[in-house]
Amino acid sequence: MKRAIVLSGGGSKGSYEVGVWKALRKLNIKYDIVTGTSVGALNAALMTQKTYFKAIRLWKNMCFDKVIDAEIDENKVVRSYAKNIIKGGMTVNNLKQTIDNALDLNRFYSSNINMGLITYNLKKLKPLILTKDKIPKDKLSDYLLASASCFPAFEKKEIAGTDYIDGGYFDNLPINLAIDMGADEIIAVDLKEVGKKQKVKNKDIRIITISPKNDIGSFLIFDSKMARRAMRLGFNDTFKTLNKLDGNKYTFRLNDLRKNYNRYNINLKYDEYLKIVEKLGYLFDIDDSYIYDIKKFNKLLITRFLKLKGDKAIKSTKIERLKKLFSKKYIVKYLYNQLDNKELSLIFKTEYKCALYMHTIMEEL
């Protein structure tokens, strides 16, 4: 049996795929084939040559300078891209240099992992699909760059007189390529970004799909802080997809949520209870990219809940009063003190359930 890892395109979100790779290593899940489109092709090359720590360093330090030649005003990113689209796209010589620095040609070609990528021939208006044995050593970085040439945001890549652009114009999640290369089982990482996806040709192939459950930012913004967060979420989502951790948008140790649910005899259906727990996490600004013990998560909720200032402490300006009045966490605090008022439970259904949960976990104080 041959297992393939399939990596979609998604620009700066590619760090998420390295988080998935970290999880696969942790779980000792081996692979025989890697296919990728766009940034997925770049990560596929790193997975083929097995330079995991190089990939980690690359993405942990990701920034615009590693991709784009021009200076970018981070407060005017969209405008910067728009101005360069008119000129034919951003120049990405820096990305070429980043790719060259990341590649280890000897390790890549001597690896027992097979690799495939997709780019798009702009003249013929059809894809160019290449496997490792069809890519000359001196052209590997060129074809990787071609696959990642997100035209018109980035400039086209010319190879031997022919212009190529992002493989996402044909198939942004190259599952069929992995099947053609002999895969019997596939773990597909779908970053859910723009691009075509071909219909899977063989429905009998077992496919496990891992996708971001949280917002991991714009695919056009290259930022180390955003990349590190996406890596953590890629790791977490892989463990959750493979039933090794619990949660949806937040991540909890295996079985912690169920134990918490049973312990407090919570009067909600389990799925609704999970939504309430995670809703409270966002209301009280708990970072969604880490793995939590539910007891510590509850303590964080209680600490931040108790820090909320009461009505008497609200400043006197009308704007500040209105902000507090319509802030959902303040509504939860208000309902916490009005749990006997059933009419309010009909008006603020979700917030009332959040208040009930807070009351339940705070009874032990």
PDB file of all heavy atoms in Angstrom, residues 37-38 88 117-123 125-128 143-159 162-170:
ATOM      1  N   THR A  37       0.439  21.664  -5.420  1.00  0.00           N
ATOM      2  CA  THR A  37       0.223  22.767  -6.348  1.00  0.00           C
ATOM      3  C   THR A  37       0.595  24.060  -5.650  1.00  0.00           C
ATOM      4  O   THR A  37       0.291  24.240  -4.466  1.00  0.00           O
ATOM      5  CB  THR A  37      -1.250  22.830  -6.792  1.00  0.00           C
ATOM      6  OG1 THR A  37      -1.582  21.640  -7.510  1.00  0.00           O
ATOM      7  CG2 THR A  37      -1.504  24.029  -7.689  1.00  0.00           C
ATOM      8  N   SER A  38       1.274  24.954  -6.373  1.00  0.00           N
ATOM      9  CA  SER A  38       1.628  26.270  -5.851  1.00  0.00           C
ATOM     10  C   SER A  38       2.490  26.135  -4.597  1.00  0.00           C
ATOM     11  O   SER A  38       3.491  25.422  -4.618  1.00  0.00           O
ATOM     12  CB  SER A  38       0.348  27.075  -5.588  1.00  0.00           C
ATOM     13  OG  SER A  38       0.644  28.433  -5.383  1.00  0.00           O
ATOM     14  N   GLY A  88       1.674  43.655 -14.487  1.00  0.00           N
ATOM     15  CA  GLY A  88       1.930  42.254 -14.832  1.00  0.00           C
ATOM     16  C   GLY A  88       2.238  41.372 -13.643  1.00  0.00           C
ATOM     17  O   GLY A  88       2.609  40.207 -13.798  1.00  0.00           O
ATOM     18  N   LEU A 117       4.089  17.691  -9.240  1.00  0.00           N
ATOM     19  CA  LEU A 117       3.586  19.065  -9.146  1.00  0.00           C
ATOM     20  C   LEU A 117       2.798  19.427 -10.399  1.00  0.00           C
ATOM     21  O   LEU A 117       2.886  18.746 -11.423  1.00  0.00           O
ATOM     22  CB  LEU A 117       4.737  20.055  -8.926  1.00  0.00           C
ATOM     23  CG  LEU A 117       5.799  20.222 -10.026  1.00  0.00           C
ATOM     24  CD1 LEU A 117       5.345  21.152 -11.148  1.00  0.00           C
ATOM     25  CD2 LEU A 117       7.095  20.740  -9.428  1.00  0.00           C
ATOM     26  N   ILE A 118       2.041  20.518 -10.294  1.00  0.00           N
ATOM     27  CA  ILE A 118       1.263  21.012 -11.425  1.00  0.00           C
ATOM     28  C   ILE A 118       1.531  22.500 -11.605  1.00  0.00           C
ATOM     29  O   ILE A 118       1.526  23.271 -10.644  1.00  0.00           O
ATOM     30  CB  ILE A 118      -0.250  20.806 -11.198  1.00  0.00           C
ATOM     31  CG1 ILE A 118      -0.585  19.314 -11.093  1.00  0.00           C
ATOM     32  CG2 ILE A 118      -1.055  21.428 -12.337  1.00  0.00           C
ATOM     33  CD1 ILE A 118      -2.036  19.012 -10.798  1.00  0.00           C
ATOM     34  N   THR A 119       1.800  22.884 -12.846  1.00  0.00           N
ATOM     35  CA  THR A 119       1.825  24.288 -13.231  1.00  0.00           C
ATOM     36  C   THR A 119       0.935  24.424 -14.464  1.00  0.00           C
ATOM     37  O   THR A 119       0.355  23.435 -14.916  1.00  0.00           O
ATOM     38  CB  THR A 119       3.262  24.794 -13.489  1.00  0.00           C
ATOM     39  OG1 THR A 119       3.219  26.193 -13.788  1.00  0.00           O
ATOM     40  CG2 THR A 119       3.926  24.037 -14.629  1.00  0.00           C
ATOM     41  N   TYR A 120       0.794  25.635 -14.977  1.00  0.00           N
ATOM     42  CA  TYR A 120      -0.162  25.845 -16.076  1.00  0.00           C
ATOM     43  C   TYR A 120       0.511  26.587 -17.217  1.00  0.00           C
ATOM     44  O   TYR A 120       1.073  27.677 -17.024  1.00  0.00           O
ATOM     45  CB  TYR A 120      -1.360  26.648 -15.572  1.00  0.00           C
ATOM     46  CG  TYR A 120      -2.558  26.614 -16.493  1.00  0.00           C
ATOM     47  CD1 TYR A 120      -3.405  25.513 -16.525  1.00  0.00           C
ATOM     48  CD2 TYR A 120      -2.831  27.694 -17.332  1.00  0.00           C
ATOM     49  CE1 TYR A 120      -4.505  25.482 -17.374  1.00  0.00           C
ATOM     50  CE2 TYR A 120      -3.937  27.672 -18.177  1.00  0.00           C
ATOM     51  CZ  TYR A 120      -4.766  26.566 -18.196  1.00  0.00           C
ATOM     52  OH  TYR A 120      -5.860  26.529 -19.029  1.00  0.00           O
ATOM     53  N   ASN A 121       0.476  25.972 -18.414  1.00  0.00           N
ATOM     54  CA  ASN A 121       1.061  26.534 -19.621  1.00  0.00           C
ATOM     55  C   ASN A 121       0.117  27.600 -20.171  1.00  0.00           C
ATOM     56  O   ASN A 121      -0.971  27.292 -20.644  1.00  0.00           O
ATOM     57  CB  ASN A 121       1.287  25.420 -20.647  1.00  0.00           C
ATOM     58  CG  ASN A 121       2.030  25.894 -21.885  1.00  0.00           C
ATOM     59  OD1 ASN A 121       1.773  26.973 -22.397  1.00  0.00           O
ATOM     60  ND2 ASN A 121       2.951  25.063 -22.360  1.00  0.00           N
ATOM     61  N   LEU A 122       0.548  28.859 -20.091  1.00  0.00           N
ATOM     62  CA  LEU A 122      -0.333  29.960 -20.460  1.00  0.00           C
ATOM     63  C   LEU A 122      -0.539  30.058 -21.967  1.00  0.00           C
ATOM     64  O   LEU A 122      -1.595  30.508 -22.433  1.00  0.00           O
ATOM     65  CB  LEU A 122       0.249  31.277 -19.925  1.00  0.00           C
ATOM     66  CG  LEU A 122      -0.700  32.475 -19.821  1.00  0.00           C
ATOM     67  CD1 LEU A 122      -1.948  32.130 -19.022  1.00  0.00           C
ATOM     68  CD2 LEU A 122       0.028  33.653 -19.181  1.00  0.00           C
ATOM     69  N   LYS A 123       0.427  29.598 -22.745  1.00  0.00           N
ATOM     70  CA  LYS A 123       0.292  29.640 -24.199  1.00  0.00           C
ATOM     71  C   LYS A 123      -0.684  28.582 -24.700  1.00  0.00           C
ATOM     72  O   LYS A 123      -1.576  28.856 -25.503  1.00  0.00           O
ATOM     73  CB  LYS A 123       1.660  29.444 -24.858  1.00  0.00           C
ATOM     74  CG  LYS A 123       1.633  29.539 -26.380  1.00  0.00           C
ATOM     75  CD  LYS A 123       3.026  29.375 -26.958  1.00  0.00           C
ATOM     76  CE  LYS A 123       3.011  29.469 -28.481  1.00  0.00           C
ATOM     77  NZ  LYS A 123       4.374  29.300 -29.063  1.00  0.00           N
ATOM     78  N   LEU A 125      -2.776  26.956 -22.741  1.00  0.00           N
ATOM     79  CA  LEU A 125      -3.945  26.942 -21.852  1.00  0.00           C
ATOM     80  C   LEU A 125      -4.268  25.527 -21.380  1.00  0.00           C
ATOM     81  O   LEU A 125      -5.415  25.076 -21.400  1.00  0.00           O
ATOM     82  CB  LEU A 125      -5.162  27.570 -22.539  1.00  0.00           C
ATOM     83  CG  LEU A 125      -5.040  29.054 -22.885  1.00  0.00           C
ATOM     84  CD1 LEU A 125      -6.304  29.553 -23.577  1.00  0.00           C
ATOM     85  CD2 LEU A 125      -4.755  29.886 -21.635  1.00  0.00           C
ATOM     86  N   LYS A 126      -3.222  24.842 -20.909  1.00  0.00           N
ATOM     87  CA  LYS A 126      -3.417  23.510 -20.346  1.00  0.00           C
ATOM     88  C   LYS A 126      -2.335  23.243 -19.305  1.00  0.00           C
ATOM     89  O   LYS A 126      -1.273  23.885 -19.319  1.00  0.00           O
ATOM     90  CB  LYS A 126      -3.413  22.442 -21.433  1.00  0.00           C
ATOM     91  CG  LYS A 126      -2.098  22.224 -22.128  1.00  0.00           C
ATOM     92  CD  LYS A 126      -2.246  21.078 -23.143  1.00  0.00           C
ATOM     93  CE  LYS A 126      -0.878  20.699 -23.730  1.00  0.00           C
ATOM     94  NZ  LYS A 126      -1.018  19.570 -24.677  1.00  0.00           N
ATOM     95  N   PRO A 127      -2.590  22.310 -18.407  1.00  0.00           N
ATOM     96  CA  PRO A 127      -1.624  22.075 -17.329  1.00  0.00           C
ATOM     97  C   PRO A 127      -0.381  21.357 -17.809  1.00  0.00           C
ATOM     98  O   PRO A 127      -0.405  20.620 -18.795  1.00  0.00           O
ATOM     99  CB  PRO A 127      -2.414  21.185 -16.365  1.00  0.00           C
ATOM    100  CG  PRO A 127      -3.356  20.436 -17.246  1.00  0.00           C
ATOM    101  CD  PRO A 127      -3.768  21.422 -18.305  1.00  0.00           C
ATOM    102  N   LEU A 128       0.701  21.607 -17.093  1.00  0.00           N
ATOM    103  CA  LEU A 128       1.909  20.807 -17.236  1.00  0.00           C
ATOM    104  C   LEU A 128       2.052  20.038 -15.927  1.00  0.00           C
ATOM    105  O   LEU A 128       2.206  20.640 -14.858  1.00  0.00           O
ATOM    106  CB  LEU A 128       3.134  21.686 -17.479  1.00  0.00           C
ATOM    107  CG  LEU A 128       4.482  20.943 -17.523  1.00  0.00           C
ATOM    108  CD1 LEU A 128       4.522  19.980 -18.711  1.00  0.00           C
ATOM    109  CD2 LEU A 128       5.642  21.924 -17.586  1.00  0.00           C
ATOM    110  N   TYR A 143      10.452  25.169 -12.015  1.00  0.00           N
ATOM    111  CA  TYR A 143       9.106  24.600 -12.091  1.00  0.00           C
ATOM    112  C   TYR A 143       8.345  24.771 -10.772  1.00  0.00           C
ATOM    113  O   TYR A 143       7.120  24.940 -10.771  1.00  0.00           O
ATOM    114  CB  TYR A 143       9.163  23.125 -12.504  1.00  0.00           C
ATOM    115  CG  TYR A 143       9.389  22.952 -13.983  1.00  0.00           C
ATOM    116  CD1 TYR A 143      10.542  22.334 -14.473  1.00  0.00           C
ATOM    117  CD2 TYR A 143       8.454  23.425 -14.910  1.00  0.00           C
ATOM    118  CE1 TYR A 143      10.750  22.189 -15.845  1.00  0.00           C
ATOM    119  CE2 TYR A 143       8.658  23.282 -16.281  1.00  0.00           C
ATOM    120  CZ  TYR A 143       9.806  22.675 -16.740  1.00  0.00           C
ATOM    121  OH  TYR A 143      10.013  22.536 -18.086  1.00  0.00           O
ATOM    122  N   LEU A 144       9.070  24.760  -9.666  1.00  0.00           N
ATOM    123  CA  LEU A 144       8.422  25.034  -8.381  1.00  0.00           C
ATOM    124  C   LEU A 144       7.916  26.474  -8.353  1.00  0.00           C
ATOM    125  O   LEU A 144       6.799  26.744  -7.903  1.00  0.00           O
ATOM    126  CB  LEU A 144       9.395  24.795  -7.224  1.00  0.00           C
ATOM    127  CG  LEU A 144       9.765  23.340  -6.934  1.00  0.00           C
ATOM    128  CD1 LEU A 144      10.867  23.275  -5.884  1.00  0.00           C
ATOM    129  CD2 LEU A 144       8.546  22.537  -6.470  1.00  0.00           C
ATOM    130  N   LEU A 145       8.736  27.384  -8.844  1.00  0.00           N
ATOM    131  CA  LEU A 145       8.330  28.791  -8.898  1.00  0.00           C
ATOM    132  C   LEU A 145       7.172  28.977  -9.868  1.00  0.00           C
ATOM    133  O   LEU A 145       6.235  29.736  -9.597  1.00  0.00           O
ATOM    134  CB  LEU A 145       9.510  29.661  -9.311  1.00  0.00           C
ATOM    135  CG  LEU A 145       9.264  31.178  -9.322  1.00  0.00           C
ATOM    136  CD1 LEU A 145       8.829  31.667  -7.945  1.00  0.00           C
ATOM    137  CD2 LEU A 145      10.517  31.911  -9.775  1.00  0.00           C
ATOM    138  N   ALA A 146       7.206  28.257 -10.989  1.00  0.00           N
ATOM    139  CA  ALA A 146       6.115  28.339 -11.964  1.00  0.00           C
ATOM    140  C   ALA A 146       4.803  27.882 -11.345  1.00  0.00           C
ATOM    141  O   ALA A 146       3.754  28.522 -11.517  1.00  0.00           O
ATOM    142  CB  ALA A 146       6.445  27.484 -13.186  1.00  0.00           C
ATOM    143  N   SER A 147       4.855  26.789 -10.590  1.00  0.00           N
ATOM    144  CA  SER A 147       3.650  26.270  -9.948  1.00  0.00           C
ATOM    145  C   SER A 147       3.075  27.266  -8.957  1.00  0.00           C
ATOM    146  O   SER A 147       1.864  27.311  -8.737  1.00  0.00           O
ATOM    147  CB  SER A 147       3.952  24.948  -9.236  1.00  0.00           C
ATOM    148  OG  SER A 147       2.779  24.404  -8.649  1.00  0.00           O
ATOM    149  N   ALA A 148       3.968  28.100  -8.375  1.00  0.00           N
ATOM    150  CA  ALA A 148       3.547  29.056  -7.345  1.00  0.00           C
ATOM    151  C   ALA A 148       3.355  30.469  -7.882  1.00  0.00           C
ATOM    152  O   ALA A 148       3.157  31.405  -7.101  1.00  0.00           O
ATOM    153  CB  ALA A 148       4.566  29.067  -6.212  1.00  0.00           C
ATOM    154  N   SER A 149       3.404  30.637  -9.200  1.00  0.00           N
ATOM    155  CA  SER A 149       3.257  31.976  -9.785  1.00  0.00           C
ATOM    156  C   SER A 149       1.788  32.362  -9.832  1.00  0.00           C
ATOM    157  O   SER A 149       1.097  32.169 -10.836  1.00  0.00           O
ATOM    158  CB  SER A 149       3.876  32.010 -11.193  1.00  0.00           C
ATOM    159  OG  SER A 149       5.272  31.841 -11.114  1.00  0.00           O
ATOM    160  N   CYS A 150       1.337  32.918  -8.725  1.00  0.00           N
ATOM    161  CA  CYS A 150      -0.089  33.236  -8.541  1.00  0.00           C
ATOM    162  C   CYS A 150      -0.467  34.460  -9.370  1.00  0.00           C
ATOM    163  O   CYS A 150      -0.678  35.544  -8.844  1.00  0.00           O
ATOM    164  CB  CYS A 150      -0.348  33.465  -7.057  1.00  0.00           C
ATOM    165  SG  CYS A 150      -2.060  33.750  -6.630  1.00  0.00           S
ATOM    166  N   PHE A 151      -0.530  34.265 -10.656  1.00  0.00           N
ATOM    167  CA  PHE A 151      -0.850  35.337 -11.603  1.00  0.00           C
ATOM    168  C   PHE A 151      -2.338  35.708 -11.479  1.00  0.00           C
ATOM    169  O   PHE A 151      -3.179  34.839 -11.317  1.00  0.00           O
ATOM    170  CB  PHE A 151      -0.532  34.835 -13.026  1.00  0.00           C
ATOM    171  CG  PHE A 151      -0.749  35.842 -14.104  1.00  0.00           C
ATOM    172  CD1 PHE A 151       0.198  36.823 -14.334  1.00  0.00           C
ATOM    173  CD2 PHE A 151      -1.900  35.823 -14.875  1.00  0.00           C
ATOM    174  CE1 PHE A 151       0.006  37.767 -15.336  1.00  0.00           C
ATOM    175  CE2 PHE A 151      -2.103  36.760 -15.871  1.00  0.00           C
ATOM    176  CZ  PHE A 151      -1.150  37.729 -16.102  1.00  0.00           C
ATOM    177  N   PRO A 152      -2.701  36.994 -11.472  1.00  0.00           N
ATOM    178  CA  PRO A 152      -1.872  38.170 -11.776  1.00  0.00           C
ATOM    179  C   PRO A 152      -1.239  38.855 -10.561  1.00  0.00           C
ATOM    180  O   PRO A 152      -0.626  39.904 -10.714  1.00  0.00           O
ATOM    181  CB  PRO A 152      -2.883  39.098 -12.440  1.00  0.00           C
ATOM    182  CG  PRO A 152      -4.157  38.828 -11.709  1.00  0.00           C
ATOM    183  CD  PRO A 152      -4.139  37.346 -11.421  1.00  0.00           C
ATOM    184  N   ALA A 153      -1.419  38.306  -9.353  1.00  0.00           N
ATOM    185  CA  ALA A 153      -0.776  38.920  -8.188  1.00  0.00           C
ATOM    186  C   ALA A 153       0.740  38.842  -8.323  1.00  0.00           C
ATOM    187  O   ALA A 153       1.454  39.806  -8.007  1.00  0.00           O
ATOM    188  CB  ALA A 153      -1.235  38.221  -6.910  1.00  0.00           C
ATOM    189  N   PHE A 154       1.248  37.680  -8.792  1.00  0.00           N
ATOM    190  CA  PHE A 154       2.674  37.504  -9.058  1.00  0.00           C
ATOM    191  C   PHE A 154       2.897  37.442 -10.570  1.00  0.00           C
ATOM    192  O   PHE A 154       1.985  37.080 -11.328  1.00  0.00           O
ATOM    193  CB  PHE A 154       3.196  36.205  -8.429  1.00  0.00           C
ATOM    194  CG  PHE A 154       3.179  36.194  -6.921  1.00  0.00           C
ATOM    195  CD1 PHE A 154       3.417  35.022  -6.223  1.00  0.00           C
ATOM    196  CD2 PHE A 154       2.937  37.346  -6.189  1.00  0.00           C
ATOM    197  CE1 PHE A 154       3.403  34.991  -4.839  1.00  0.00           C
ATOM    198  CE2 PHE A 154       2.925  37.335  -4.802  1.00  0.00           C
ATOM    199  CZ  PHE A 154       3.159  36.152  -4.129  1.00  0.00           C
ATOM    200  N   GLU A 155       4.103  37.749 -10.983  1.00  0.00           N
ATOM    201  CA  GLU A 155       4.427  37.703 -12.405  1.00  0.00           C
ATOM    202  C   GLU A 155       4.456  36.264 -12.919  1.00  0.00           C
ATOM    203  O   GLU A 155       4.584  35.311 -12.157  1.00  0.00           O
ATOM    204  CB  GLU A 155       5.785  38.360 -12.643  1.00  0.00           C
ATOM    205  CG  GLU A 155       6.938  37.618 -11.981  1.00  0.00           C
ATOM    206  CD  GLU A 155       8.281  38.304 -12.171  1.00  0.00           C
ATOM    207  OE1 GLU A 155       8.341  39.288 -12.934  1.00  0.00           O
ATOM    208  OE2 GLU A 155       9.256  37.851 -11.551  1.00  0.00           O
ATOM    209  N   LYS A 156       4.325  36.123 -14.233  1.00  0.00           N
ATOM    210  CA  LYS A 156       4.432  34.815 -14.878  1.00  0.00           C
ATOM    211  C   LYS A 156       5.878  34.324 -14.791  1.00  0.00           C
ATOM    212  O   LYS A 156       6.806  35.119 -14.660  1.00  0.00           O
ATOM    213  CB  LYS A 156       4.005  34.915 -16.351  1.00  0.00           C
ATOM    214  CG  LYS A 156       2.556  35.352 -16.562  1.00  0.00           C
ATOM    215  CD  LYS A 156       2.276  35.684 -18.008  1.00  0.00           C
ATOM    216  CE  LYS A 156       2.869  37.043 -18.371  1.00  0.00           C
ATOM    217  NZ  LYS A 156       2.465  37.488 -19.730  1.00  0.00           N
ATOM    218  N   LYS A 157       6.046  33.017 -14.887  1.00  0.00           N
ATOM    219  CA  LYS A 157       7.391  32.443 -14.889  1.00  0.00           C
ATOM    220  C   LYS A 157       7.693  31.897 -16.281  1.00  0.00           C
ATOM    221  O   LYS A 157       6.986  31.033 -16.790  1.00  0.00           O
ATOM    222  CB  LYS A 157       7.497  31.325 -13.851  1.00  0.00           C
ATOM    223  CG  LYS A 157       8.824  30.563 -13.884  1.00  0.00           C
ATOM    224  CD  LYS A 157      10.010  31.477 -13.601  1.00  0.00           C
ATOM    225  CE  LYS A 157      11.329  30.708 -13.665  1.00  0.00           C
ATOM    226  NZ  LYS A 157      12.499  31.605 -13.548  1.00  0.00           N
ATOM    227  N   GLU A 158       8.758  32.399 -16.882  1.00  0.00           N
ATOM    228  CA  GLU A 158       9.156  31.930 -18.207  1.00  0.00           C
ATOM    229  C   GLU A 158      10.183  30.814 -18.086  1.00  0.00           C
ATOM    230  O   GLU A 158      11.183  30.942 -17.373  1.00  0.00           O
ATOM    231  CB  GLU A 158       9.748  33.080 -19.029  1.00  0.00           C
ATOM    232  CG  GLU A 158      10.138  32.650 -20.440  1.00  0.00           C
ATOM    233  CD  GLU A 158      10.808  33.759 -21.225  1.00  0.00           C
ATOM    234  OE1 GLU A 158      10.511  34.945 -20.953  1.00  0.00           O
ATOM    235  OE2 GLU A 158      11.641  33.434 -22.093  1.00  0.00           O
ATOM    236  N   ILE A 159       9.913  29.701 -18.764  1.00  0.00           N
ATOM    237  CA  ILE A 159      10.853  28.582 -18.825  1.00  0.00           C
ATOM    238  C   ILE A 159      10.977  28.166 -20.286  1.00  0.00           C
ATOM    239  O   ILE A 159       9.986  27.805 -20.925  1.00  0.00           O
ATOM    240  CB  ILE A 159      10.378  27.380 -17.988  1.00  0.00           C
ATOM    241  CG1 ILE A 159      10.142  27.784 -16.529  1.00  0.00           C
ATOM    242  CG2 ILE A 159      11.391  26.228 -18.061  1.00  0.00           C
ATOM    243  CD1 ILE A 159       9.555  26.690 -15.664  1.00  0.00           C
ATOM    244  N   THR A 162       8.520  29.731 -22.712  1.00  0.00           N
ATOM    245  CA  THR A 162       7.091  29.533 -22.464  1.00  0.00           C
ATOM    246  C   THR A 162       6.716  30.092 -21.098  1.00  0.00           C
ATOM    247  O   THR A 162       7.444  29.897 -20.116  1.00  0.00           O
ATOM    248  CB  THR A 162       6.720  28.035 -22.522  1.00  0.00           C
ATOM    249  OG1 THR A 162       7.039  27.535 -23.820  1.00  0.00           O
ATOM    250  CG2 THR A 162       5.233  27.826 -22.252  1.00  0.00           C
ATOM    251  N   ASP A 163       5.594  30.799 -21.036  1.00  0.00           N
ATOM    252  CA  ASP A 163       5.115  31.374 -19.777  1.00  0.00           C
ATOM    253  C   ASP A 163       4.253  30.376 -19.017  1.00  0.00           C
ATOM    254  O   ASP A 163       3.349  29.752 -19.598  1.00  0.00           O
ATOM    255  CB  ASP A 163       4.294  32.634 -20.041  1.00  0.00           C
ATOM    256  CG  ASP A 163       5.161  33.810 -20.470  1.00  0.00           C
ATOM    257  OD1 ASP A 163       6.352  33.825 -20.096  1.00  0.00           O
ATOM    258  OD2 ASP A 163       4.649  34.697 -21.176  1.00  0.00           O
ATOM    259  N   TYR A 164       4.547  30.243 -17.729  1.00  0.00           N
ATOM    260  CA  TYR A 164       3.773  29.354 -16.857  1.00  0.00           C
ATOM    261  C   TYR A 164       3.222  30.163 -15.686  1.00  0.00           C
ATOM    262  O   TYR A 164       3.838  31.138 -15.232  1.00  0.00           O
ATOM    263  CB  TYR A 164       4.648  28.218 -16.329  1.00  0.00           C
ATOM    264  CG  TYR A 164       5.103  27.258 -17.395  1.00  0.00           C
ATOM    265  CD1 TYR A 164       6.329  27.434 -18.038  1.00  0.00           C
ATOM    266  CD2 TYR A 164       4.308  26.172 -17.767  1.00  0.00           C
ATOM    267  CE1 TYR A 164       6.759  26.556 -19.026  1.00  0.00           C
ATOM    268  CE2 TYR A 164       4.724  25.288 -18.751  1.00  0.00           C
ATOM    269  CZ  TYR A 164       5.947  25.488 -19.374  1.00  0.00           C
ATOM    270  OH  TYR A 164       6.352  24.625 -20.356  1.00  0.00           O
ATOM    271  N   ILE A 165       2.067  29.724 -15.193  1.00  0.00           N
ATOM    272  CA  ILE A 165       1.456  30.355 -14.023  1.00  0.00           C
ATOM    273  C   ILE A 165       1.003  29.280 -13.046  1.00  0.00           C
ATOM    274  O   ILE A 165       1.178  28.076 -13.288  1.00  0.00           O
ATOM    275  CB  ILE A 165       0.277  31.276 -14.417  1.00  0.00           C
ATOM    276  CG1 ILE A 165      -0.786  30.489 -15.202  1.00  0.00           C
ATOM    277  CG2 ILE A 165       0.773  32.471 -15.201  1.00  0.00           C
ATOM    278  CD1 ILE A 165      -2.036  31.301 -15.514  1.00  0.00           C
ATOM    279  N   ASP A 166       0.417  29.722 -11.977  1.00  0.00           N
ATOM    280  CA  ASP A 166       0.014  28.865 -10.858  1.00  0.00           C
ATOM    281  C   ASP A 166      -0.791  27.640 -11.300  1.00  0.00           C
ATOM    282  O   ASP A 166      -1.732  27.748 -12.084  1.00  0.00           O
ATOM    283  CB  ASP A 166      -0.826  29.698  -9.889  1.00  0.00           C
ATOM    284  CG  ASP A 166      -0.926  29.074  -8.514  1.00  0.00           C
ATOM    285  OD1 ASP A 166      -1.533  28.009  -8.396  1.00  0.00           O
ATOM    286  OD2 ASP A 166      -0.391  29.666  -7.564  1.00  0.00           O
ATOM    287  N   GLY A 167      -0.408  26.482 -10.763  1.00  0.00           N
ATOM    288  CA  GLY A 167      -1.108  25.233 -11.085  1.00  0.00           C
ATOM    289  C   GLY A 167      -2.540  25.203 -10.614  1.00  0.00           C
ATOM    290  O   GLY A 167      -3.327  24.361 -11.056  1.00  0.00           O
ATOM    291  N   GLY A 168      -2.909  26.158  -9.739  1.00  0.00           N
ATOM    292  CA  GLY A 168      -4.286  26.238  -9.264  1.00  0.00           C
ATOM    293  C   GLY A 168      -5.271  26.600 -10.361  1.00  0.00           C
ATOM    294  O   GLY A 168      -6.480  26.445 -10.188  1.00  0.00           O
ATOM    295  N   TYR A 169      -4.764  27.066 -11.489  1.00  0.00           N
ATOM    296  CA  TYR A 169      -5.645  27.331 -12.628  1.00  0.00           C
ATOM    297  C   TYR A 169      -6.197  26.031 -13.208  1.00  0.00           C
ATOM    298  O   TYR A 169      -7.186  26.061 -13.941  1.00  0.00           O
ATOM    299  CB  TYR A 169      -4.907  28.121 -13.714  1.00  0.00           C
ATOM    300  CG  TYR A 169      -4.865  29.607 -13.452  1.00  0.00           C
ATOM    301  CD1 TYR A 169      -3.879  30.167 -12.635  1.00  0.00           C
ATOM    302  CD2 TYR A 169      -5.811  30.460 -13.999  1.00  0.00           C
ATOM    303  CE1 TYR A 169      -3.843  31.528 -12.383  1.00  0.00           C
ATOM    304  CE2 TYR A 169      -5.794  31.826 -13.754  1.00  0.00           C
ATOM    305  CZ  TYR A 169      -4.802  32.355 -12.943  1.00  0.00           C
ATOM    306  OH  TYR A 169      -4.773  33.709 -12.677  1.00  0.00           O
ATOM    307  N   PHE A 170      -5.560  24.903 -12.854  1.00  0.00           N
ATOM    308  CA  PHE A 170      -6.071  23.604 -13.319  1.00  0.00           C
ATOM    309  C   PHE A 170      -6.552  22.741 -12.154  1.00  0.00           C
ATOM    310  O   PHE A 170      -7.671  22.249 -12.159  1.00  0.00           O
ATOM    311  CB  PHE A 170      -4.998  22.842 -14.099  1.00  0.00           C
ATOM    312  CG  PHE A 170      -5.422  21.451 -14.475  1.00  0.00           C
ATOM    313  CD1 PHE A 170      -6.388  21.245 -15.450  1.00  0.00           C
ATOM    314  CD2 PHE A 170      -4.866  20.336 -13.843  1.00  0.00           C
ATOM    315  CE1 PHE A 170      -6.795  19.949 -15.793  1.00  0.00           C
ATOM    316  CE2 PHE A 170      -5.261  19.053 -14.166  1.00  0.00           C
ATOM    317  CZ  PHE A 170      -6.232  18.860 -15.151  1.00  0.00           C
TER     318      PHE A 170
END
